[in-house]
Amino acid sequence: MDLDRAVAHPADGPVPALTAERIREELAENQIRPEWIWFAEDEDGEILARALWWGRADSERPIALDCLQVRDDVADPAAVAAGLLEAGHAAFGKRPGYNISLPRDWRADPELAAAVGWRQEAAAEAGLTREIERLRYEWTPAAGTAGPTGRLVFREGTDEEMLDAFVRLSRDSLDLATQHELELMDAEQLAREDFDFYLDCPGERSWWRLAHLPDGRLAGLAVPSATPYHRNVGYLGVVPEQRGQGLIDEILGEITRFHAAEGAQRITATTDTVNIPMAAAFDRAGYEVTEIRLVLEEPSGV
């Protein structure tokens, strides 16, 4: 592949695309790799479409499709894009999800909605048929932090205690990914997968905290985490029997204070648009919505 030619492809169109400079930065960090950059050509060798997949520096295979573009003059962009994705999926031996970052009111822009539409069609044709829409939140020091109220006590926990908390929090969860996974596996298996996922993230296991009521009963779990770019609200929740009392604010506050004390200038977080209680907690804590993240992925168990 002519890497320079593929990287220099114009980053235009209504759906945000990675610039050549950003792609080269990701290549230098081994988070985008030459074998994860694919493009389709016409009979004259001109680029018709480009797809870039992303992974962590130590990933064996890409984790997500980060950028998908088709030239404006292509009559059927969905068909060309679907073929490109299918070729990449066959080479990778998996179907990484596709994350599209969008403004909150993206459906009100006809040009943007149409550009998202053919991408949805292409992704579905290539096997990414499940859609989840998430709010991406961001905290900065200007928002400040709320002090602890004493309603909860936070402490480190053993792996067994953490796994038990993951199991209990998954019950009646409003998180769509959790609901989908529980259709295919039991809560104990999902807890192990969640535990391993956050253990593999750039954050440290020593950051995790169990949340207890003053009388010792488990109230919830706080997992401060990180991405390759920012500190992050990884996983948090309240056990079913303690929900509805505002304790999620205490747990989110603990995560925010932890990161802020470490000097974080930005803390990112996401929650499903349908998870109204979690979104409200982020709003109360001073987190601001910066974008919608449309996630197109392969249904679990396929």
Side-chain angles (χ1 to χ4, degrees):
M1 182 186 71
D2 184 343
L3 184 60
D4 289 338
R5 182 163 160 262
V7 169
H9 188 72
D12 53 12
V15 173
L18 297 181
T19 64
E21 180 182 9
R22 178 65 183 278
I23 294 170
R24 294 195 183 281
E25 290 174 356
E26 297 285 354
L27 284 164
E29 296 294 329
N30 205 38
Q31 291 170 168
I32 289 178
R33 301 175 197 169
E35 62 270 26
W36 296 351
I37 300 176
W38 286 65
F39 57 90
E41 296 179 336
D42 64 15
E43 61 275 8
D44 298 320
E46 296 297 321
I47 294 178
L48 293 175
R50 180 179 70 169
L52 296 90
W53 281 269
W54 178 95
R56 289 197 290 265
D58 60 351
S59 299
E60 293 184 9
R61 296 185 293 178
I63 294 173
L65 176 65
D66 205 11
C67 184
L68 177 62
Q69 296 169 275
V70 176
R71 208 167 66 191
D72 289 342
D73 59 354
V74 172
D76 190 349
V80 173
L84 185 57
L85 297 187
E86 288 170 346
H89 294 168
F92 304 145
K94 62 176 294 190
R95 295 187 179 100
Y98 179 21
N99 300 324
I100 309 175
S101 296
L102 299 164
R104 197 164 188 172
D105 60 348
W106 66 271
R107 288 182 174 86
D109 181 335
E111 183 183 9
L112 178 56
V116 172
W118 68 251
R119 287 170 168 84
Q120 291 172 301
E121 184 181 343
E125 181 68 24
L128 307 179
T129 57
R130 187 167 74 193
E131 296 190 9
I132 300 176
E133 196 163 328
R134 294 193 172 112
L135 298 168
R136 184 187 184 278
Y137 279 93
E138 185 175 291
W139 175 96
T140 62
T145 57
T149 65
R151 295 185 67 196
L152 293 178
V153 177
F154 294 90
R155 69 171 180 85
E156 295 187 44
T158 65
D159 288 356
E160 290 73 19
E161 288 175 317
M162 291 291 179
L163 285 166
D164 177 65
F166 275 111
V167 169
R168 293 173 65 177
L169 264 63
S170 69
R171 191 178 313 128
D172 299 324
S173 172
L174 296 177
D175 181 79
L176 294 177
T178 298
Q179 294 175 14
H180 293 318
E181 294 297 337
L182 286 175
E183 294 172 358
L184 301 166
M185 66 183 76
D186 60 32
E188 287 74 17
Q189 183 180 353
L190 176 59
R192 171 53 67 183
E193 291 196 358
D194 285 339
F195 183 99
D196 290 343
F197 173 81
Y198 288 104
L199 197 63
D200 194 43
C201 286
E204 301 293 333
R205 167 66 176 84
S206 61
W207 298 353
W208 303 6
R209 294 291 183 270
L210 296 169
H212 289 270
L213 297 168
D215 63 9
R217 287 177 294 162
L218 180 68
L221 177 63
V223 179
S225 191
T227 73
Y229 312 103
H230 308 294
R231 291 296 183 102
N232 176 260
V233 177
Y235 187 101
L236 75 167
V238 176
V239 295
E241 61 270 26
Q242 301 299 338
R243 290 172 185 161
Q245 305 177 60
L247 295 179
I248 194 65
D249 293 344
E250 307 293 321
I251 296 173
L252 178 57
E254 177 71 8
I255 293 175
T256 306
R257 287 190 298 272
F258 173 82
H259 285 320
E262 295 289 314
Q265 295 300 300
R266 179 177 289 112
I267 306 170
T268 58
T270 59
T271 193
D272 298 338
T273 55
V274 297
N275 193 343
I276 295 173
M278 190 67 252
F282 282 121
D283 293 337
R284 290 191 295 270
Y287 285 71
E288 295 187 357
V289 176
T290 58
E291 65 185 28
I292 292 288
R293 182 166 294 171
L294 182 62
V295 180
L296 311 176
E297 59 188 14
E298 182 180 43
S300 300
V302 175

